[in-house]
Amino acid sequence: DFAADARRLIDDAVTAPQRRAEAAEQALSLSRDQRRQIQRNLALIGFDPRGIDGIFGPATRKAIGDWQRARGVDVTTFLTAPQVNDIQTAANRRAEELVREASARREAEERADRAYWRDLGEGRDEAALRAYLKRYPDGLFSDVARERVAQIEDRRAGEVRREVRQAWRSAQQADNI
């Protein structure tokens, strides 16, 4: 006689926390931009929502669930306000780490660039200038190297023009085929 009621109670016991979590997230009234930011933050901290479109589809729900699992909280795939804040805080920390890592990489690249320029004699000959530009086309000294190569090429072009004029004069003086 009470089987239907028992099934309903069991179903309620299983689904009630999920429904409460969904209602709590809906109460946040997240805008599409806020949802995009949450997706960006999840991606930044290593939980890929498979797109940043402001729509919490299956991939975003999975990312949220994975994040909740990693944090050791109830896996509902719906967010609470404190969880949104925790994700933002973690993303801010990760962004700062990425900035520090990029800065360290840039500094190392600049040290290598300066050392290579110094090792090549600071571009005193054409071969060194071209080697530098091949390795560091946008390097710290690339403008100087390009300018020096242009000067060398201009000198060389001037020499060729002088040689051509001299050959023409010689031909005119010889006055023969």
Side-chain angles (χ1 to χ4, degrees):
D1 290 340
F2 300 104
D5 289 340
R7 280 191 209 93
R8 187 180 42 73
L9 289 172
I10 290 170
D11 188 46
D12 284 350
V14 170
T15 62
Q18 192 72 12
R19 284 196 311 271
R20 280 194 302 273
E22 185 174 1
E25 183 180 280
Q26 286 176 350
L28 297 176
S29 299
L30 297 170
S31 70
R32 186 129 185 211
D33 285 339
Q34 289 171 315
R35 288 171 179 266
R36 279 188 193 105
Q37 186 61 48
I38 291 167
Q39 288 172 322
R40 276 187 207 97
N41 291 342
L42 284 166
L44 188 60
I45 60 176
F47 298 92
D48 185 10
R50 299 210 180 172
I52 298 172
D53 56 7
I55 298 170
F56 283 7
T60 299
R61 292 292 172 201
K62 180 180 180 326
I64 292 169
D66 291 346
W67 177 82
Q68 289 171 330
R69 190 173 295 103
R71 296 273 304 189
V73 298
D74 289 339
V75 179
T76 63
T77 73
F78 292 95
L79 293 169
T80 63
Q83 289 175 346
V84 171
N85 291 334
D86 289 348
I87 290 170
Q88 182 66 54
T89 300
N92 291 343
R93 263 195 317 271
R94 182 62 183 138
E96 289 170 6
E97 289 171 6
L98 291 171
V99 167
R100 282 193 301 275
E101 290 169 8
S103 178
R105 269 193 312 277
R106 189 175 47 256
E107 289 172 10
E109 289 169 5
E110 287 178 4
R111 278 192 304 276
D113 185 331
R114 283 188 178 87
Y116 192 68
W117 179 253
R118 187 182 58 247
D119 292 347
L120 290 176
E122 297 180 352
R124 288 196 171 81
D125 64 42
E126 183 179 4
L129 291 167
R130 291 192 186 279
Y132 176 82
L133 286 171
K134 183 176 182 179
R135 187 165 185 177
Y136 294 104
D138 298 316
L140 297 171
F141 305 99
S142 60
D143 291 341
V144 171
R146 270 192 279 287
E147 185 179 321
R148 289 182 185 172
V149 166
Q151 290 169 352
I152 291 168
E153 289 173 346
D154 287 347
R155 271 196 309 273
R156 190 174 293 134
E159 291 168 9
V160 168
R161 284 191 297 273
R162 279 191 296 282
E163 289 172 8
V164 168
R165 280 193 304 270
Q166 181 59 39
W168 179 246
R169 279 190 217 109
S170 294
Q172 285 178 321
Q173 288 172 356
D175 195 27
N176 64 31
I177 294 174

